[in-house]
Amino acid sequence: MRILMITSEAVPFAKTGGLADVVSALSYALKKLGHDVRIVMPRYYRIDKKTLTPIPGAMGVSIGNREYWTEVFESTLPNSDIPIYFIDHEESFGRDGLYGSLFEPDFNDNPKRFSILSHAAFQLCRKQHWIPDLMHAHDWQTALVPVLLKFNTQYRDFQETASVFTVHNIGYQGIYNKASYVDTGLDWGYFYSAGFEDWDRMNFLKAGLLSADRLTTVSPTYAQEIQSAEYGFRMDGILRFRKDALTGILNGVDTSVWNPKTDKQIPFNYTARSLAKKAKNKEALQKYMGLPQDEKVPVFGMITRLTDQKGIAELFGPSYGAAFKICTDINLQLIVLGAGDRWCEDELLALSKRLPNLRVYVGYDDKLSHLIEAGSDFFLMPSRYEPCGLNQMYSLLYGTLPVVRNTGGLADTVDNYDEQTGDGTGFVLNLLTPDSIYNTVNWAVNAWFKNPEHIVKMRKRGMAKDFTWDTSAKQYLAVYQEAVGNKVFNKH
């Protein structure tokens, strides 16, 4: 099958979140299964042209009555022959930031920027004389692609091409002033019929949800949750309407990067049969973070964006968050790596000065993130909502027991501890409150001290989990085949 991924980011070229990891990892897995997979994305300012190969000839991108001239560069995903094409349009992408900057958090011309990317994807296929069987668009930035496939007569040569649209986080929808609709190149009649209209504004994600042949999101539980008012961010009605077209597919883990047996970023490699070496990583982590090197004290790690979605108010909120009580009442050590909301960064730094068993690194450090996964005994992830989540899966593979909320991908990947039998792979809380977080952490620590044999069994059970992309890629292929099959059937 010929598959084109249209995305705003992909590792290792540009990344703000899990979307970048998913696009690249899924492409590798599909290629491994024998499919012709290609990727198209913007050539952002920080992607050095000198590392790319130019494709000769400027490429015109017609949008409505305007034409934008772009260059196209080519590379491959590392250690593969998967082509990745970069659309170079200096006015749109020649700036710092993917979607915004420090001074302009959300670029006001994003509708035009990502409309150019979406239209350019079609022009690129023509330029390469390669019409895909399926176009896979990711998040609101490329939601215009399924709309153009369905409604724009400009692309009649793609009439047999099907579309799949993946929602990685429904909280981000691409809502802008409807005056920007002209940048899509579509007739105003489609503003309503294609589903862009949203309380007299324009909503890219909504149009993608209504136009794509098939919809996916990043875990089975999240696919159910977003059909509810609590988690659907006002799109729940549309998703219930399209529920037969919606599939939740759990993200996989890139085990070439996240594998304690081969991880080059941790001091001691280990397996389920050599957990004593995990204890050495714990000692190294404690030493690195300036904590007492005591193997008997449980270490809780946390790697997170410091945003409301991650439950930071209930954990770190001044005067009411659970963290202070956790660190003063419970015999443990807590290590936090993250960045985000300024109030939370400031509060964490203030707490770390008051609490001798709390260490904080504000920012992101890839090597430290691997050491936290390998050296921690537990991993704290009390998310308000979590479409899929990756860190809880990394934790399981590293024998680090997750403490998570019962939501989204966390619910699909972590089995709650049974203190009678020792079954389970982690500790699950249902309510997102400071008391609930405190009580669940305390429960985990009690199991650590009272039932150490359960902890060992849970670790080994988690390390035996299969989170590779092979399974997920086959599920995506089933969705692709259904979308392409229905397209051909409906045509005839």
Side-chain angles (χ1 to χ4, degrees):
M1 186 181 292
R2 296 183 301 274
I3 303 161
L4 181 66
M5 299 280 181
I6 310 96
T7 181
S8 57
E9 50 188 89
V11 293
F13 302 100
K15 175 180 175 176
T16 63
L19 163 63
D21 298 291
V22 170
V23 169
S24 297
L26 177 57
S27 297
Y28 281 121
L30 291 167
K31 180 68 174 181
K32 184 179 174 183
L33 291 172
H35 299 276
D36 183 356
V37 187
R38 307 184 186 191
I39 303 170
V40 59
M41 65 177 289
R43 203 285 295 181
Y44 297 109
Y45 176 74
R46 293 187 179 182
I47 302 174
D48 189 355
K49 288 183 182 181
K50 296 175 184 176
T51 65
L52 310 174
T53 302
I55 294 178
M59 185 174 77
V61 179
S62 297
I63 303 180
N65 59 4
R66 296 191 63 182
E67 187 159 32
Y68 300 91
W69 287 96
T70 68
E71 287 186 88
V72 182
F73 291 85
E74 184 179 7
S75 184
T76 57
L77 286 184
N79 304 312
S80 81
D81 58 354
I82 299 170
I84 180 163
Y85 302 101
F86 298 87
I87 305 302
D88 188 39
H89 186 254
E90 192 71 20
E91 180 188 337
S92 296
F93 306 119
R95 62 184 85 169
D96 285 329
L98 273 61
Y99 315 123
S101 66
L102 182 64
F103 303 104
E104 189 181 358
D106 186 30
F107 293 134
N108 63 10
D109 63 343
N110 275 341
K112 183 176 81 170
R113 297 173 73 228
F114 292 107
S115 292
I116 289 173
L117 172 64
S118 296
H119 281 273
F122 291 89
Q123 291 298 94
L124 172 68
C125 293
R126 289 169 170 168
K127 186 177 178 70
Q128 297 298 97
H129 305 289
W130 182 84
I131 303 298
D133 300 305
L134 184 124
M135 299 178 84
H136 189 163
H138 297 265
D139 272 348
W140 75 260
Q141 292 88 350
T142 59
L144 184 60
V145 168
V147 181
L148 294 175
L149 271 177
K150 186 173 182 178
F151 293 105
N152 198 339
T153 56
Q154 181 181 349
Y155 301 120
R156 282 178 175 164
D157 44 336
F158 291 80
Q159 59 185 332
E160 293 187 5
T161 300
S163 64
V164 169
F165 180 49
T166 295
V167 178
H168 295 265
N169 188 331
I170 204 165
Y172 301 97
Q173 299 183 3
I175 302 174
Y176 294 93
N177 190 301
K178 70 176 183 181
S180 297
Y181 179 72
V182 295
D183 293 318
T184 68
L186 288 165
D187 183 273
W188 270 100
Y190 295 122
F191 181 72
Y192 296 95
S193 60
F196 285 98
E197 194 276 334
D198 186 5
W199 291 94
D200 208 37
R201 292 174 67 79
M202 175 174 63
N203 186 322
F204 276 96
L205 182 127
K206 181 186 171 192
L209 292 176
L210 285 165
S211 299
D213 294 310
R214 286 292 181 272
L215 307 171
T216 70
T217 191
V218 291
S219 72
T221 295
Y222 192 59
Q224 294 301 314
E225 287 180 341
I226 59 178
Q227 295 179 52
S228 70
E230 182 179 2
Y231 294 101
F233 285 83
R234 300 182 303 109
M235 297 296 109
D236 51 292
I238 291 171
L239 288 161
R240 288 193 298 273
F241 172 71
R242 297 219 63 198
K243 64 181 180 180
D244 291 340
L246 174 64
T247 305
I249 302 174
L250 192 69
N251 284 341
V253 168
D254 185 349
T255 51
S256 69
V257 176
W258 293 98
N259 184 341
K261 184 178 180 179
T262 58
D263 192 336
K264 294 178 181 178
Q265 302 212 62
I266 61 176
F268 303 97
N269 293 117
Y270 62 96
T271 67
R273 294 184 177 182
S274 56
L275 286 173
K277 292 184 179 179
K278 178 174 172 61
K280 290 185 177 182
N281 284 298
K282 175 178 178 176
E283 183 180 352
L285 175 62
Q286 290 172 320
K287 182 177 180 180
Y288 183 83
M289 298 303 295
L291 288 163
Q293 294 161 54
D294 186 344
E295 67 176 52
K296 294 180 181 178
V297 175
V299 172
F300 281 70
M302 188 173 186
I303 305 166
T304 186
R305 285 182 292 112
L306 300 175
T307 61
D308 183 63
Q309 177 198 334
K310 303 298 182 178
I312 60 170
E314 290 74 14
L315 191 54
F316 302 119
S319 77
Y320 67 90
F324 184 83
K325 188 179 179 184
I326 286 171
C327 290
T328 52
D329 289 3
I330 304 174
N331 185 15
L332 55 70
Q333 296 171 348
L334 176 60
I335 296 169
V336 181
L337 167 63
D341 290 356
R342 183 62 182 269
W343 75 262
C344 191
E345 292 180 358
D346 292 343
E347 180 65 16
L348 275 167
L349 293 172
L351 282 172
S352 67
K353 293 177 181 177
R354 299 171 61 193
L355 298 167
N357 57 343
L358 171 65
R359 292 292 183 272
V360 175
Y361 184 106
V362 173
Y364 184 72
D365 183 306
D366 190 50
K367 188 176 181 68
L368 178 57
S369 71
H370 282 252
L371 184 57
I372 289 173
E373 289 289 9
S376 299
D377 299 301
F378 300 92
F379 191 90
L380 187 55
M381 204 169 174
S383 302
R384 184 173 305 280
Y385 68 95
E386 195 66 59
C388 177
L390 289 172
N391 276 104
Q392 84 281 6
M393 291 191 274
Y394 301 157
S395 297
L396 288 166
L397 296 177
Y398 280 66
T400 300
L401 303 182
V403 178
V404 302
R405 183 160 174 265
N406 186 24
T407 185
L410 304 179
D412 289 324
T413 51
V414 181
D415 301 317
N416 203 10
Y417 171 54
D418 185 327
E419 56 193 37
Q420 301 300 319
T421 64
D423 289 341
T425 55
F427 300 82
V428 180
L429 59 118
N430 290 313
L431 296 175
L432 182 57
T433 65
D435 283 346
S436 183
I437 296 172
Y438 173 89
N439 290 335
T440 308
V441 168
N442 197 35
W443 182 33
V445 172
N446 281 334
W448 169 268
F449 285 111
K450 293 180 180 179
N451 297 304
E453 71 282 1
H454 286 181
I455 298 296
V456 173
K457 288 180 181 178
M458 293 169 75
R459 280 180 164 174
K460 291 181 176 180
R461 199 177 291 122
M463 294 178 79
K465 291 281 189 178
D466 179 8
F467 292 126
T468 61
W469 268 101
D470 295 346
T471 301
S472 302
K474 289 174 183 175
Q475 291 177 284
Y476 272 106
L477 270 178
V479 172
Y480 293 169
Q481 288 162 351
E482 190 177 59
V484 171
N486 281 4
K487 190 89 173 182
V488 172
F489 177 80
N490 289 334
K491 181 190 172 190
H492 297 293

